[in-house]
Amino acid sequence: MARCLAFMLFLQLYCLVSTVGLPLPLEPAELLQLGSDVGGGRLSVDPADLREASGDFGGFTRAEPPLAVYHPRGAGDVAALVRAAYSRGDGLRVSARGHGHSISGQAQAPGGVVVDMSRHKAAARALPAYSSAVGGHYVDVWGGELWIDVLNWTLAHGGLAPRSWTDYLYLSVGGTLSNAGISGQAFHHGPQISNVYELDIVTGKGETVTCSATTNSDLFFGALGGLGQFGIITRARIALEPAPRKVRWIRALYSNFTEFTADQERLISQHGGRRFDYVEAFVVAAEGLINNWRSSFFSPQNPVKLSSLKQHTGVLYCLEVTKNYDDSTAATVDQEVDALLGDLNFLPGTVFTTDLPYVDFLDRVHKAELKLRSKGMWEVPHPWLNLFVPASRIADFDRGVFHGILGSRTSGGPILIYPMNKHKWDPMSSVVTPDEEVFYLVAFLRSALPGAAQTLDELARQNRQILDFCADTGIGAKQYLPNHKSQPSWEAHFGPERWARFASLKAKYDPRAMLATGQGIFPQPATDSAPLLSDS
Ligand code: FAD
């Protein structure tokens, strides 16, 4: 039976790959229909699947659809598909798609196969376990698992939770580990890629390799932040900690950028018991607090007394911190928070606090998503720009961008700004950060809403102005979730040494440059992916 299924799968894949470049008597759709659902993975040419796989959250690149979408039922299926594509020898594109939350077509594979990672649910999930070697708990998860499902699973089995997060949990494990995975916990725990013990990866040759910091370490570190270039992550061993029950969530406003950044940097230098658990912030530009979709916190039940801020006409900055607690620490949380806030220089009378369950805090952006969806404001183009800016130049960035390029113009969405410590990032990973111990994430989370003052083109032009400003002033910023249009730009992004390492890993693990071609890093046959944005 197993041999028969394997043969069927082989036949199905053979038919699939044979349609690229070689004439066949049957249309691919007919072939795939015949061979569909062979017991292993399922190849789909359903137009709805193809349409979904040729778009993403960014919503402004229109790609030629893939030939098929592959729904694997486990790591073996992923390996079988990649092996078949590799053995074909002509670089058939294969892209893992986590949850399609990329901005610029990074998970697309025009004319190739998109592997839909996030719909497969493991029949039997692994339970969290304890390792004396690492001195803590971990859980093994499927690479396409969404972080929200990881959280719910680990909470239900031992009251545990991953240590490091993204702001939004409907992202896949493999997708965020291919970037870095950052949020307000990163200053202390490092990004998500610093909280992984082991990976299973299907390389571009279709080989399944287990890797860690000590075994096949070049692949392990290469894949972390590796933009999907060296293989498809099918299993990740994630570090866990006992989950706190509650969170004290605090926001405070600043008008003075120097005081704001000095306080943020002081907060992220605290690593003992006396520290906040999460440190982020956002810029309060022209739209004010109320139009900021991340600001549901400032709800009518908990209004911001903006009247007290009337004298501050310019840009404001909103610090956002949390302190975790549970039943045993509930009695002392007030004192601890007061002591920590006592050192800070925010505007008097602008502290806003709320208490909520830990899970609700972690899942906060999903609430905003549901609201935006109900108003038709979620599935719109998102010309996002994410930058890492060295701390020594963040004041120049503030002057040039928040007060200059943006000025009184609307930014089209929230602008996050928060610092991180480079020593919490492994220098061997593939992710590129500035050459300074402290650097800031500055994230322009823009939405091009129908009928809004600023069109998609205008927001994209603003992004280019910001990138040009960084280049012209030599600020040393690096793109996070990078998007570069040419190989020289990619080489400049990595710098000579890191580029050499990245390229040699590519040659070793994906020699036909078949994987994650939507990143546009290594040369591929021309695609029909056409940006909707104008070049001006
Ligand atoms: P996809 O977009 O599907 O894939 C991203 C890339 O990874 C593609 O190149 C793909 O081929 C590759 N890939 C996907 N799965 C695998 C795999 N299993 N193995 C190897 N390669 C794979 N990021 C943060 O760091 N912090 C945040 O707080 C944050 N918040 C966000 C909020 C929203 C609303 C959105 C839309 C995005 C946010 N992101 C954040 C960005 C997010 O990390 C990226 O979009 C990332 O790509 C994860 O999305 P995904 O799982 O849908 O991956």
Side-chain angles (χ1 to χ4, degrees):
M1 179 66 176
R3 294 184 94 181
C4 171
L5 290 179
F7 176 73
M8 293 286 282
L9 177 61
F10 170 79
L11 186 66
Q12 180 190 17
L13 291 167
Y14 176 79
C15 292
L16 169 76
V17 296
S18 298
T19 57
V20 180
L22 287 179
L24 276 172
L26 287 172
E27 287 297 306
E30 295 171 66
L31 286 167
L32 295 169
Q33 217 102 46
L34 282 177
S36 67
D37 211 353
V38 288
R42 183 173 59 86
L43 277 165
S44 165
V45 290
D46 181 333
D49 275 353
L50 302 186
R51 202 168 38 249
E52 191 179 0
S54 44
D56 59 22
F57 182 80
F60 58 85
T61 43
R62 194 195 312 116
E64 181 200 328
L67 193 61
V69 173
Y70 188 59
H71 299 282
R73 295 194 184 172
D77 289 349
V78 176
L81 174 78
V82 178
R83 261 199 311 278
Y86 178 71
S87 62
R88 189 172 156 69
D90 62 357
L92 178 78
R93 294 168 185 162
V94 177
S95 272
R97 186 178 199 270
H99 213 208
H101 279 62
S102 291
I103 298 300
S104 313
Q106 285 90 340
Q108 295 167 5
V113 184
V114 167
V115 185
D116 181 353
M117 295 293 289
S118 69
R119 282 211 203 130
H120 164 74
K121 302 285 172 226
R125 282 194 171 115
L127 287 169
Y130 182 81
S131 158
S132 53
V134 299
H137 286 88
Y138 66 83
V139 67
D140 284 328
V141 298
W142 166 245
E145 196 88 64
L146 299 185
W147 285 100
I148 181 71
D149 296 327
V150 176
L151 174 63
N152 287 332
W153 176 253
T154 56
L155 278 176
H157 296 88
L160 299 162
R163 304 188 292 216
S164 185
W165 290 101
T166 48
D167 291 349
Y168 175 65
L169 307 187
Y170 289 73
L171 303 169
S172 76
V173 169
T176 69
L177 295 184
S178 296
N179 285 291
I182 49 175
S183 183
Q185 302 85 5
F187 80 92
H188 181 67
H189 288 298
Q192 290 182 321
I193 54 171
S194 298
N195 291 276
V196 182
Y197 297 129
E198 196 175 274
L199 298 171
D200 281 347
I201 295 180
V202 174
T203 70
K205 296 177 183 172
E207 294 162 354
T208 303
V209 179
T210 297
C211 56
S212 68
T214 53
T215 306
N216 299 311
S217 60
D218 64 340
L219 181 58
F220 179 72
F221 289 118
L224 295 173
L227 306 172
Q229 294 305 300
F230 313 121
I232 297 180
I233 298 167
T234 53
R235 178 184 64 91
R237 179 164 289 183
I238 309 288
L240 301 175
E241 64 179 4
R245 284 174 57 78
K246 294 203 78 175
V247 166
R248 169 79 43 93
W249 186 7
I250 302 143
R251 283 174 170 173
L253 292 169
Y254 290 74
S255 58
N256 182 311
F257 190 72
T258 309
E259 286 176 355
F260 164 68
T261 49
D263 278 359
Q264 276 204 313
E265 289 175 34
R266 179 164 343 112
L267 290 174
I268 68 154
S269 70
Q270 297 167 338
H271 290 290
R274 193 175 180 274
R275 64 172 170 87
F276 282 116
D277 292 292
Y278 161 105
V279 177
E280 282 202 11
F282 54 91
V283 178
V284 186
E287 299 101 316
L289 289 167
I290 305 307
N291 291 339
N292 181 333
W293 56 258
R294 286 181 83 261
S295 298
S296 51
F297 182 71
F298 295 109
S299 64
Q301 291 79 32
N302 193 2
V304 180
K305 308 257 181 324
L306 285 172
S307 54
S308 64
L309 300 172
K310 274 210 176 109
Q311 70 273 30
H312 303 289
T313 49
V315 179
L316 292 173
Y317 312 92
C318 184
L319 176 70
E320 178 175 82
V321 289
T322 69
K323 187 77 191 159
N324 300 335
Y325 65 97
D326 49 35
D327 295 343
S328 63
T329 50
T332 55
V333 68
D334 292 350
Q335 278 170 302
E336 283 180 55
V337 166
D338 286 349
L340 286 165
L341 291 179
D343 295 337
L344 305 180
N345 291 305
F346 46 81
L347 292 167
T350 67
V351 178
F352 307 94
T353 65
T354 192
D355 289 76
L356 70 173
Y358 184 59
V359 180
D360 291 3
F361 172 73
L362 291 180
D363 201 23
R364 62 203 177 279
V365 174
H366 185 53
K367 290 205 177 68
E369 173 187 356
L370 295 177
K371 255 191 227 162
L372 291 178
R373 275 189 189 282
S374 71
K375 295 179 189 164
M377 290 163 67
W378 185 257
E379 287 179 12
V380 296
H382 295 104
W384 286 13
L385 177 66
N386 286 267
L387 297 171
F388 288 142
V389 180
S392 67
R393 303 300 301 276
I394 195 70
D396 297 329
F397 190 93
D398 173 57
R399 272 189 296 276
V401 177
F402 303 142
H403 293 269
I405 294 170
L406 294 185
S408 57
R409 289 192 281 172
T410 59
S411 63
I415 304 173
L416 310 187
I417 174 168
Y418 59 90
M420 281 163 279
N421 298 302
K422 193 173 171 102
H423 72 270
K424 298 283 180 177
W425 296 58
D426 199 305
M428 293 304 292
S429 80
S430 290
V431 69
V432 178
T433 57
D435 291 329
E436 265 180 37
E437 169 53 20
V438 174
F439 60 89
Y440 282 76
L441 171 77
V442 185
F444 299 87
L445 308 181
R446 306 160 177 290
S447 302
L449 298 175
Q454 281 187 298
T455 62
L456 173 61
D457 264 350
E458 282 161 345
L459 292 172
R461 200 171 307 127
Q462 238 179 48
N463 285 348
R464 278 193 294 274
Q465 275 181 289
I466 294 167
L467 289 169
D468 288 348
F469 167 81
C470 291
D472 295 346
T473 52
I475 266 179
K478 293 289 178 188
Q479 283 190 42
Y480 176 54
L481 312 171
N483 175 30
H484 296 283
K485 298 292 181 208
S486 68
Q487 201 168 20
S489 305
W490 278 110
E491 291 185 33
H493 172 78
F494 282 96
E497 206 180 304
R498 296 178 73 91
W499 172 254
R501 190 167 79 205
F502 200 75
S504 93
L505 284 175
K506 184 72 174 177
K508 180 174 175 185
Y509 289 111
D510 182 22
R512 298 208 204 289
M514 300 179 335
L515 299 178
T517 55
Q519 297 279 2
I521 304 176
F522 293 97
Q524 272 284 303
T527 82
D528 293 336
S529 186
L532 292 176
L533 299 172
S534 70
D535 285 336
S536 56

